[in-house]
């Protein structure tokens, strides 16, 4: 279903995506992009693979009411900026979700990426609902069914767009942001969620 740049994608009977292409106007997206680029406490986290600490291919920062741990990496929460708090409230009004934190990811160019995963950490509750705001360069976003990994869906996430991953999406599907040699400009992704800090 598509209405006024709002597309609903039924992944399965209990998992849905809502994609709003122009959730915020281009000038507002650029303003928020620059704010995050200049003010977020960006760091390059590491994950442990095969006994070695490997830097992840992107930078990240965490804001919220509580800390967060994923893939063995712990984040202390930075205090909300007025700009992030304002966009959080706008997303909550549209999505009807209650959100208390945001993981910001900076993909410096097409060499930065995100591997297959689900946002299903214990601290996110039994049915995590994720609101993902894209700023900057457009990037491919791919999902695959956990049980049948040949079953895939793909969306191009554009500047100022909002993707809501609802229902059982995190339980039934994985998602990734593949590398792209064509992308030379940075992208910032703000993934809002409700987290209890455990």
């Amino acid at each position: 279903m598509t209405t006024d740049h709002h597309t609903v994608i039924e992944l399965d009977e209990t998992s849905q995506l809502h994609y709003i292409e122009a959730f915020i106007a281009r000038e507002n997206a650029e303003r928020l992009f620059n704010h995050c680029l200049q003010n977020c406490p960006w760091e390059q986290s590491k994950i442990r693979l095969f006994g070695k600490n490997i830097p992840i291919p992107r930078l990240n920062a965490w804001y919220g009411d509580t800390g967060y741990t994923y893939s063995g990496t712990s984040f202390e929460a930075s205090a909300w900026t007025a700009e992030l708090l304002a966009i959080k409230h706008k997303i909550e009004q549209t999505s009807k979700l209650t959100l208390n934190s945001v993981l910001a990811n900076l993909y410096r160019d097409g060499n930065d990426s995100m591997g297959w995963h689900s946002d299903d950490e214990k601290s996110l509750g039994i049915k995590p609902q994720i609101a993902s705001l894209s700023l900057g360069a457009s990037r491919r976003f791919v999902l695959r069914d956990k049980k049948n990994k040949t079953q895939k869906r793909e969306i191009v996430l554009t500047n100022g767009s909002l993707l809501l991953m609802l229902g059982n999406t995190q339980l039934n599907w994985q998602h990734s942001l593949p590398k792209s040699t064509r992308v030379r400009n940075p992208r910032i992704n703000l993934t809002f969620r409700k987290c209890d800090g455990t």
Side-chain angles (χ1 to χ4, degrees), residues 5 10 56 72 134 146 158 172-173 175 178 188:
H5 303 289
E10 301 288 345
I56 62 173
S134 294
K146 287 185 179 180
T158 60
N172 296 341
W173 293 74
H175 54 273
I188 291 174

Side-chain angles (χ1 to χ4, degrees), residues 105-125:
N105 291 295
L106 171 57
Y107 301 89
R108 293 159 291 187
D109 55 29
N111 291 314
D112 280 356
S113 62
M114 176 82 78
W116 290 111
H117 72 288
S118 298
D119 295 318
D120 56 1
E121 290 81 11
K122 181 180 177 181
S123 63
L124 300 180

Side-chain angles (χ1 to χ4, degrees), residues 7-8 18 23 25 44 61 71 88 94 98 117 141 178:
T7 302
V8 179
H18 287 239
F23 180 70
Q44 187 168 22
S71 297
K88 179 181 87 77
T94 297
T98 299
H117 72 288
F141 182 81

Side-chain angles (χ1 to χ4, degrees), residues 18 20 27 34 47 50 54 96 98 110-111 122 144 162:
H18 287 239
I20 306 174
E27 59 270 20
N34 289 326
I47 58 173
F50 309 113
I54 307 297
K96 309 305 179 188
T98 299
N111 291 314
K122 181 180 177 181
R144 70 180 182 187
L162 178 68

Side-chain angles (χ1 to χ4, degrees), residues 10-77:
E10 301 288 345
L11 297 172
D12 57 46
E13 292 182 356
T14 62
S15 309
Q16 306 85 32
L17 304 177
H18 287 239
Y19 180 62
I20 306 174
E21 185 175 7
F23 180 70
I24 56 176
R26 182 174 179 177
E27 59 270 20
N28 293 335
E30 291 176 353
R31 191 177 301 115
L32 184 56
F33 175 90
N34 289 326
H35 167 77
C36 292
L37 187 65
Q38 296 167 15
N39 294 286
C40 286
W42 298 112
E43 61 182 77
Q44 187 168 22
S45 300
K46 294 181 180 180
I47 58 173
R48 193 159 184 82
L49 290 175
F50 309 113
K52 296 182 179 180
N53 290 323
I54 307 297
I56 62 173
R58 61 192 173 278
L59 305 183
N60 45 38
W62 177 260
Y63 288 84
D65 303 337
T66 181
Y68 183 52
T69 299
Y70 83 100
S71 297
T73 300
S74 296
F75 292 92
E76 294 295 326

